[in-house]
Amino acid sequence: VTPIRTCVGCGQRGPQAGLVRFVAAGDGSLAIDRDRRAGGRGAYLHADASCWRSFAGRRGPVRSLRVNPSRPARVTLCEALDAARCGDRAERRG
Ligand SMILES: [Zn+2]
């Protein structure tokens, strides 16, 4: 059975394999969890830069994380996703 997760950027559901997991650290920052091994509560974003931008511009708590990440924390996560080349789909699309 393929796990289905919800992207917190676009709000669409999809197979876990096409999504990148991230977790909220105790200091309020957000960290990529590529191996999906980090403990605690995680949330998912598509491997698509447009979803990260949507997430960065959104306000309000992330239900699956039970925290309300600050805008700088969201932007920092986007930059980390870019740096880690998580956005393969976006790069191919140009
Ligand atoms: Zn998405």
Short mmCIF file of all heavy atoms in Angstrom, two decimals, residues 16-74:
data_model
loop_
_atom_site.label_atom_id
_atom_site.label_comp_id
_atom_site.label_asym_id
_atom_site.label_seq_id
_atom_site.Cartn_x
_atom_site.Cartn_y
_atom_site.Cartn_z
N GLN A 16 3.48 9.26 -1.09
CA GLN A 16 4.55 9.77 -0.26
C GLN A 16 5.86 9.91 -1.03
O GLN A 16 6.66 10.79 -0.76
CB GLN A 16 4.73 8.83 0.94
CG GLN A 16 5.66 9.34 2.01
CD GLN A 16 5.86 8.29 3.09
OE1 GLN A 16 6.24 7.16 2.84
NE2 GLN A 16 5.58 8.67 4.31
N ALA A 17 6.08 9.02 -2.02
CA ALA A 17 7.35 9.01 -2.75
C ALA A 17 7.58 10.31 -3.50
O ALA A 17 8.72 10.67 -3.77
CB ALA A 17 7.37 7.83 -3.72
N GLY A 18 6.52 11.03 -3.87
CA GLY A 18 6.67 12.27 -4.61
C GLY A 18 6.71 13.49 -3.72
O GLY A 18 6.67 14.62 -4.22
N LEU A 19 6.77 13.27 -2.42
CA LEU A 19 6.74 14.38 -1.47
C LEU A 19 8.00 14.36 -0.62
O LEU A 19 8.62 13.31 -0.43
CB LEU A 19 5.50 14.26 -0.56
CG LEU A 19 4.17 14.40 -1.30
CD1 LEU A 19 3.11 13.50 -0.70
CD2 LEU A 19 3.69 15.84 -1.27
N VAL A 20 8.39 15.52 -0.12
CA VAL A 20 9.55 15.65 0.75
C VAL A 20 9.05 15.89 2.17
O VAL A 20 8.23 16.78 2.40
CB VAL A 20 10.44 16.83 0.32
CG1 VAL A 20 11.68 16.91 1.20
CG2 VAL A 20 10.82 16.70 -1.15
N ARG A 21 9.54 15.09 3.11
CA ARG A 21 9.12 15.25 4.50
C ARG A 21 9.98 16.29 5.20
O ARG A 21 11.18 16.40 4.92
CB ARG A 21 9.25 13.90 5.24
CG ARG A 21 8.70 13.95 6.66
CD ARG A 21 8.81 12.57 7.32
NE ARG A 21 8.01 12.49 8.52
CZ ARG A 21 8.51 12.51 9.77
NH1 ARG A 21 9.80 12.60 9.97
NH2 ARG A 21 7.71 12.45 10.82
N PHE A 22 9.38 17.05 6.07
CA PHE A 22 10.16 17.94 6.93
C PHE A 22 9.55 17.93 8.32
O PHE A 22 8.40 17.54 8.52
CB PHE A 22 10.26 19.35 6.35
CG PHE A 22 8.95 20.10 6.27
CD1 PHE A 22 8.59 21.00 7.28
CD2 PHE A 22 8.10 19.93 5.20
CE1 PHE A 22 7.39 21.70 7.21
CE2 PHE A 22 6.90 20.63 5.12
CZ PHE A 22 6.55 21.51 6.12
N VAL A 23 10.37 18.33 9.29
CA VAL A 23 9.95 18.29 10.68
C VAL A 23 10.21 19.64 11.32
O VAL A 23 11.03 20.44 10.84
CB VAL A 23 10.69 17.19 11.46
CG1 VAL A 23 10.32 15.81 10.93
CG2 VAL A 23 12.20 17.38 11.41
N ALA A 24 9.51 19.91 12.39
CA ALA A 24 9.71 21.13 13.16
C ALA A 24 10.64 20.84 14.32
O ALA A 24 10.41 19.92 15.10
CB ALA A 24 8.37 21.66 13.67
N ALA A 25 11.72 21.62 14.41
CA ALA A 25 12.65 21.46 15.53
C ALA A 25 12.14 22.25 16.73
O ALA A 25 11.25 23.11 16.60
CB ALA A 25 14.03 21.94 15.12
N GLY A 26 12.71 21.96 17.88
CA GLY A 26 12.25 22.60 19.10
C GLY A 26 12.45 24.10 19.12
O GLY A 26 11.73 24.81 19.82
N ASP A 27 13.40 24.60 18.33
CA ASP A 27 13.67 26.04 18.34
C ASP A 27 12.80 26.78 17.33
O ASP A 27 13.00 27.97 17.11
CB ASP A 27 15.15 26.29 18.03
CG ASP A 27 15.56 25.80 16.64
OD1 ASP A 27 14.70 25.24 15.94
OD2 ASP A 27 16.72 25.97 16.28
N GLY A 28 11.86 26.09 16.70
CA GLY A 28 10.95 26.75 15.78
C GLY A 28 11.39 26.67 14.34
O GLY A 28 10.64 27.08 13.45
N SER A 29 12.60 26.17 14.09
CA SER A 29 13.04 26.05 12.71
C SER A 29 12.45 24.79 12.08
O SER A 29 11.93 23.91 12.77
CB SER A 29 14.57 26.00 12.65
OG SER A 29 15.05 24.81 13.27
N LEU A 30 12.52 24.73 10.76
CA LEU A 30 12.02 23.59 10.00
C LEU A 30 13.19 22.91 9.31
O LEU A 30 14.06 23.59 8.77
CB LEU A 30 10.99 24.05 8.95
CG LEU A 30 9.78 24.81 9.51
CD1 LEU A 30 8.95 25.39 8.38
CD2 LEU A 30 8.93 23.91 10.38
N ALA A 31 13.22 21.59 9.33
CA ALA A 31 14.35 20.86 8.76
C ALA A 31 13.85 19.76 7.84
O ALA A 31 12.87 19.07 8.13
CB ALA A 31 15.19 20.24 9.88
N ILE A 32 14.54 19.62 6.69
CA ILE A 32 14.22 18.54 5.76
C ILE A 32 14.53 17.19 6.41
O ILE A 32 15.53 17.06 7.10
CB ILE A 32 15.04 18.68 4.46
CG1 ILE A 32 14.83 20.06 3.83
CG2 ILE A 32 14.66 17.59 3.47
CD1 ILE A 32 15.80 20.32 2.69
N ASP A 33 13.69 16.23 6.16
CA ASP A 33 13.89 14.88 6.68
C ASP A 33 13.81 13.92 5.49
O ASP A 33 12.82 13.24 5.30
CB ASP A 33 12.84 14.56 7.74
CG ASP A 33 12.96 13.12 8.24
OD1 ASP A 33 14.07 12.58 8.21
OD2 ASP A 33 11.93 12.57 8.64
N ARG A 34 14.87 13.93 4.68
CA ARG A 34 14.81 13.19 3.41
C ARG A 34 14.65 11.69 3.62
O ARG A 34 14.05 11.00 2.81
CB ARG A 34 16.08 13.44 2.60
CG ARG A 34 16.12 14.83 2.01
CD ARG A 34 17.23 14.93 0.99
NE ARG A 34 16.69 14.88 -0.37
CZ ARG A 34 17.36 15.25 -1.44
NH1 ARG A 34 18.59 15.67 -1.33
NH2 ARG A 34 16.82 15.18 -2.63
N ASP A 35 15.25 11.17 4.67
CA ASP A 35 15.18 9.73 4.92
C ASP A 35 13.91 9.34 5.67
O ASP A 35 13.67 8.16 5.90
CB ASP A 35 16.40 9.27 5.72
CG ASP A 35 17.68 9.48 4.94
OD1 ASP A 35 17.61 9.44 3.69
OD2 ASP A 35 18.72 9.69 5.57
N ARG A 36 13.14 10.35 6.07
CA ARG A 36 11.88 10.12 6.80
C ARG A 36 12.13 9.31 8.07
O ARG A 36 11.34 8.46 8.44
CB ARG A 36 10.86 9.39 5.93
CG ARG A 36 10.56 10.12 4.63
CD ARG A 36 9.35 9.52 3.94
NE ARG A 36 9.08 10.19 2.68
CZ ARG A 36 9.46 9.73 1.49
NH1 ARG A 36 10.12 8.60 1.42
NH2 ARG A 36 9.18 10.39 0.41
N ARG A 37 13.26 9.60 8.72
CA ARG A 37 13.60 8.86 9.92
C ARG A 37 13.49 9.70 11.17
O ARG A 37 13.60 9.17 12.28
CB ARG A 37 15.03 8.32 9.82
CG ARG A 37 15.13 7.15 8.87
CD ARG A 37 16.54 6.59 8.87
NE ARG A 37 16.71 5.64 7.77
CZ ARG A 37 17.83 5.48 7.09
NH1 ARG A 37 18.88 6.19 7.40
NH2 ARG A 37 17.91 4.60 6.12
N ALA A 38 13.40 11.00 11.00
CA ALA A 38 13.35 11.86 12.18
C ALA A 38 12.07 11.58 12.98
O ALA A 38 11.01 11.31 12.41
CB ALA A 38 13.38 13.33 11.76
N GLY A 39 12.22 11.63 14.27
CA GLY A 39 11.06 11.38 15.11
C GLY A 39 10.15 12.58 15.14
O GLY A 39 10.43 13.62 14.57
N GLY A 40 9.05 12.42 15.81
CA GLY A 40 8.13 13.53 15.98
C GLY A 40 7.21 13.71 14.79
O GLY A 40 7.13 12.87 13.90
N ARG A 41 6.57 14.84 14.79
CA ARG A 41 5.56 15.09 13.78
C ARG A 41 6.19 15.71 12.55
O ARG A 41 7.02 16.60 12.64
CB ARG A 41 4.49 16.03 14.36
CG ARG A 41 3.87 15.49 15.65
CD ARG A 41 2.76 16.37 16.13
NE ARG A 41 1.64 16.38 15.22
CZ ARG A 41 0.67 15.46 15.21
NH1 ARG A 41 0.69 14.49 16.08
NH2 ARG A 41 -0.31 15.53 14.36
N GLY A 42 5.78 15.24 11.39
CA GLY A 42 6.32 15.75 10.15
C GLY A 42 5.22 16.24 9.23
O GLY A 42 4.04 15.94 9.42
N ALA A 43 5.61 17.02 8.24
CA ALA A 43 4.68 17.47 7.22
C ALA A 43 5.36 17.25 5.86
O ALA A 43 6.55 16.97 5.81
CB ALA A 43 4.32 18.95 7.40
N TYR A 44 4.59 17.38 4.80
CA TYR A 44 5.09 17.03 3.48
C TYR A 44 4.86 18.14 2.48
O TYR A 44 3.86 18.87 2.54
CB TYR A 44 4.38 15.76 2.96
CG TYR A 44 4.78 14.53 3.73
CD1 TYR A 44 4.16 14.22 4.94
CD2 TYR A 44 5.79 13.69 3.25
CE1 TYR A 44 4.53 13.09 5.65
CE2 TYR A 44 6.16 12.56 3.96
CZ TYR A 44 5.53 12.27 5.15
OH TYR A 44 5.91 11.15 5.86
N LEU A 45 5.84 18.28 1.56
CA LEU A 45 5.71 19.18 0.42
C LEU A 45 6.07 18.39 -0.84
O LEU A 45 6.97 17.55 -0.81
CB LEU A 45 6.68 20.36 0.55
CG LEU A 45 6.27 21.50 1.49
CD1 LEU A 45 7.47 22.39 1.78
CD2 LEU A 45 5.13 22.32 0.88
N HIS A 46 5.37 18.69 -1.95
CA HIS A 46 5.76 18.10 -3.22
C HIS A 46 7.20 18.48 -3.57
O HIS A 46 7.68 19.52 -3.12
CB HIS A 46 4.85 18.62 -4.36
CG HIS A 46 3.53 17.91 -4.43
ND1 HIS A 46 2.33 18.57 -4.29
CD2 HIS A 46 3.24 16.61 -4.61
CE1 HIS A 46 1.35 17.68 -4.39
NE2 HIS A 46 1.86 16.49 -4.58
N ALA A 47 7.85 17.68 -4.37
CA ALA A 47 9.18 18.01 -4.88
C ALA A 47 9.02 19.02 -6.00
O ALA A 47 9.37 18.78 -7.15
CB ALA A 47 9.89 16.75 -5.36
N ASP A 48 8.48 20.17 -5.66
CA ASP A 48 8.10 21.17 -6.64
C ASP A 48 8.22 22.55 -6.01
O ASP A 48 7.55 22.85 -5.01
CB ASP A 48 6.66 20.92 -7.09
CG ASP A 48 6.27 21.79 -8.27
OD1 ASP A 48 6.72 22.95 -8.34
OD2 ASP A 48 5.52 21.30 -9.13
N ALA A 49 9.09 23.38 -6.57
CA ALA A 49 9.39 24.67 -5.96
C ALA A 49 8.14 25.53 -5.82
O ALA A 49 8.04 26.34 -4.90
CB ALA A 49 10.45 25.41 -6.78
N SER A 50 7.17 25.36 -6.72
CA SER A 50 5.98 26.21 -6.62
C SER A 50 5.21 25.90 -5.34
O SER A 50 4.58 26.78 -4.75
CB SER A 50 5.10 26.04 -7.86
OG SER A 50 4.57 24.74 -7.91
N CYS A 51 5.26 24.66 -4.89
CA CYS A 51 4.59 24.29 -3.64
C CYS A 51 5.32 24.90 -2.45
O CYS A 51 4.70 25.32 -1.47
CB CYS A 51 4.53 22.78 -3.50
SG CYS A 51 3.39 22.01 -4.67
N TRP A 52 6.65 24.96 -2.52
CA TRP A 52 7.42 25.55 -1.41
C TRP A 52 7.09 27.03 -1.30
O TRP A 52 6.94 27.55 -0.20
CB TRP A 52 8.92 25.40 -1.64
CG TRP A 52 9.34 24.02 -2.09
CD1 TRP A 52 8.61 22.86 -1.96
CD2 TRP A 52 10.55 23.68 -2.74
NE1 TRP A 52 9.33 21.83 -2.50
CE2 TRP A 52 10.52 22.29 -2.98
CE3 TRP A 52 11.68 24.43 -3.14
CZ2 TRP A 52 11.56 21.63 -3.62
CZ3 TRP A 52 12.72 23.77 -3.76
CH2 TRP A 52 12.66 22.39 -4.00
N ARG A 53 7.00 27.70 -2.46
CA ARG A 53 6.70 29.13 -2.43
C ARG A 53 5.31 29.36 -1.83
O ARG A 53 5.11 30.29 -1.07
CB ARG A 53 6.74 29.71 -3.85
CG ARG A 53 7.97 29.37 -4.64
CD ARG A 53 9.13 30.34 -4.42
NE ARG A 53 10.24 29.95 -5.27
CZ ARG A 53 11.26 29.18 -4.86
NH1 ARG A 53 11.31 28.73 -3.64
NH2 ARG A 53 12.23 28.85 -5.68
N SER A 54 4.36 28.52 -2.20
CA SER A 54 3.02 28.65 -1.63
C SER A 54 3.07 28.50 -0.12
O SER A 54 2.45 29.26 0.62
CB SER A 54 2.08 27.59 -2.21
OG SER A 54 1.94 27.75 -3.59
N PHE A 55 3.83 27.52 0.33
CA PHE A 55 3.94 27.27 1.75
C PHE A 55 4.60 28.46 2.46
O PHE A 55 4.17 28.89 3.53
CB PHE A 55 4.76 26.00 1.99
CG PHE A 55 5.07 25.74 3.44
CD1 PHE A 55 4.06 25.42 4.33
CD2 PHE A 55 6.37 25.83 3.90
CE1 PHE A 55 4.34 25.17 5.67
CE2 PHE A 55 6.66 25.59 5.24
CZ PHE A 55 5.65 25.27 6.12
N ALA A 56 5.64 29.01 1.84
CA ALA A 56 6.36 30.13 2.46
C ALA A 56 5.46 31.36 2.60
O ALA A 56 5.61 32.14 3.53
CB ALA A 56 7.61 30.48 1.63
N GLY A 57 4.53 31.51 1.67
CA GLY A 57 3.68 32.68 1.70
C GLY A 57 2.41 32.50 2.52
O GLY A 57 1.62 33.43 2.66
N ARG A 58 2.24 31.32 3.06
CA ARG A 58 1.01 31.02 3.80
C ARG A 58 1.17 31.40 5.27
O ARG A 58 2.26 31.42 5.81
CB ARG A 58 0.73 29.52 3.67
CG ARG A 58 -0.59 29.08 4.25
CD ARG A 58 -1.03 27.78 3.63
NE ARG A 58 -1.29 27.94 2.20
CZ ARG A 58 -1.41 26.94 1.34
NH1 ARG A 58 -1.29 25.70 1.76
NH2 ARG A 58 -1.65 27.16 0.08
N ARG A 59 0.04 31.71 5.89
CA ARG A 59 0.05 31.99 7.32
C ARG A 59 -0.75 30.93 8.02
O ARG A 59 -1.50 30.19 7.40
CB ARG A 59 -0.60 33.35 7.60
CG ARG A 59 0.19 34.53 7.08
CD ARG A 59 -0.73 35.73 6.93
NE ARG A 59 -0.03 36.88 6.35
CZ ARG A 59 0.53 37.83 7.08
NH1 ARG A 59 0.44 37.80 8.39
NH2 ARG A 59 1.17 38.82 6.51
N GLY A 60 -0.58 30.91 9.33
CA GLY A 60 -1.38 30.00 10.12
C GLY A 60 -0.66 28.71 10.42
O GLY A 60 0.35 28.38 9.80
N PRO A 61 -1.17 27.99 11.39
CA PRO A 61 -0.50 26.77 11.84
C PRO A 61 -0.53 25.66 10.79
O PRO A 61 -1.43 25.60 9.94
CB PRO A 61 -1.29 26.35 13.08
CG PRO A 61 -2.59 27.05 12.98
CD PRO A 61 -2.38 28.28 12.15
N VAL A 62 0.49 24.81 10.83
CA VAL A 62 0.51 23.60 10.02
C VAL A 62 -0.06 22.50 10.88
O VAL A 62 0.52 22.11 11.89
CB VAL A 62 1.95 23.27 9.58
CG1 VAL A 62 1.97 21.99 8.77
CG2 VAL A 62 2.55 24.42 8.79
N ARG A 63 -1.22 22.02 10.49
CA ARG A 63 -1.96 21.10 11.36
C ARG A 63 -1.15 19.86 11.71
O ARG A 63 -1.11 19.43 12.86
CB ARG A 63 -3.28 20.70 10.68
CG ARG A 63 -4.29 20.16 11.68
CD ARG A 63 -5.48 19.55 10.98
NE ARG A 63 -6.06 20.45 9.97
CZ ARG A 63 -6.92 20.04 9.05
NH1 ARG A 63 -7.29 18.78 8.99
NH2 ARG A 63 -7.41 20.90 8.17
N SER A 64 -0.47 19.28 10.70
CA SER A 64 0.23 18.02 10.96
C SER A 64 1.46 18.23 11.84
O SER A 64 1.97 17.28 12.43
CB SER A 64 0.63 17.35 9.65
OG SER A 64 1.41 18.22 8.87
N LEU A 65 1.96 19.48 11.91
CA LEU A 65 3.11 19.75 12.77
C LEU A 65 2.68 20.26 14.15
O LEU A 65 3.47 20.25 15.08
CB LEU A 65 4.02 20.81 12.14
CG LEU A 65 4.77 20.43 10.87
CD1 LEU A 65 5.55 21.63 10.35
CD2 LEU A 65 5.73 19.28 11.13
N ARG A 66 1.47 20.75 14.22
CA ARG A 66 0.96 21.36 15.45
C ARG A 66 1.81 22.55 15.88
O ARG A 66 1.98 22.82 17.06
CB ARG A 66 0.86 20.35 16.58
CG ARG A 66 -0.26 19.34 16.33
CD ARG A 66 -0.56 18.53 17.56
NE ARG A 66 -1.60 17.54 17.28
CZ ARG A 66 -1.79 16.44 18.00
NH1 ARG A 66 -1.02 16.20 19.04
NH2 ARG A 66 -2.75 15.62 17.70
N VAL A 67 2.38 23.24 14.91
CA VAL A 67 3.08 24.48 15.20
C VAL A 67 2.69 25.49 14.13
O VAL A 67 2.13 25.14 13.09
CB VAL A 67 4.62 24.31 15.20
CG1 VAL A 67 5.05 23.35 16.29
CG2 VAL A 67 5.11 23.85 13.84
N ASN A 68 2.99 26.76 14.41
CA ASN A 68 2.77 27.81 13.43
C ASN A 68 4.14 28.38 13.06
O ASN A 68 4.63 29.29 13.72
CB ASN A 68 1.87 28.90 14.03
CG ASN A 68 1.47 29.93 12.98
OD1 ASN A 68 1.95 29.89 11.84
ND2 ASN A 68 0.63 30.86 13.36
N PRO A 69 4.77 27.84 12.02
CA PRO A 69 6.13 28.27 11.69
C PRO A 69 6.16 29.74 11.30
O PRO A 69 5.25 30.23 10.63
CB PRO A 69 6.51 27.38 10.50
CG PRO A 69 5.50 26.29 10.46
CD PRO A 69 4.26 26.85 11.07
N SER A 70 7.21 30.43 11.73
CA SER A 70 7.38 31.83 11.35
C SER A 70 7.69 31.90 9.85
O SER A 70 8.13 30.92 9.24
CB SER A 70 8.53 32.45 12.14
OG SER A 70 9.75 31.86 11.75
N ARG A 71 7.47 33.09 9.29
CA ARG A 71 7.79 33.24 7.88
C ARG A 71 9.27 33.00 7.60
O ARG A 71 9.61 32.30 6.64
CB ARG A 71 7.37 34.63 7.39
CG ARG A 71 7.66 34.83 5.92
CD ARG A 71 6.95 36.03 5.34
NE ARG A 71 7.46 36.29 3.99
CZ ARG A 71 7.01 35.67 2.91
NH1 ARG A 71 6.04 34.80 3.01
NH2 ARG A 71 7.52 35.94 1.73
N PRO A 72 10.20 33.56 8.43
CA PRO A 72 11.62 33.25 8.17
C PRO A 72 11.91 31.76 8.21
O PRO A 72 12.72 31.26 7.42
CB PRO A 72 12.34 33.98 9.32
CG PRO A 72 11.42 35.10 9.67
CD PRO A 72 10.03 34.55 9.48
N ALA A 73 11.25 31.02 9.10
CA ALA A 73 11.49 29.57 9.16
C ALA A 73 11.02 28.91 7.88
O ALA A 73 11.66 27.98 7.36
CB ALA A 73 10.77 28.97 10.37
N ARG A 74 9.89 29.39 7.34
CA ARG A 74 9.37 28.81 6.09
C ARG A 74 10.31 29.11 4.93
O ARG A 74 10.60 28.26 4.09
CB ARG A 74 7.98 29.38 5.78
CG ARG A 74 6.93 28.98 6.82
CD ARG A 74 5.63 29.73 6.57
NE ARG A 74 4.75 29.62 7.73
CZ ARG A 74 3.53 29.07 7.71
NH1 ARG A 74 3.02 28.62 6.60
NH2 ARG A 74 2.81 28.99 8.80
#
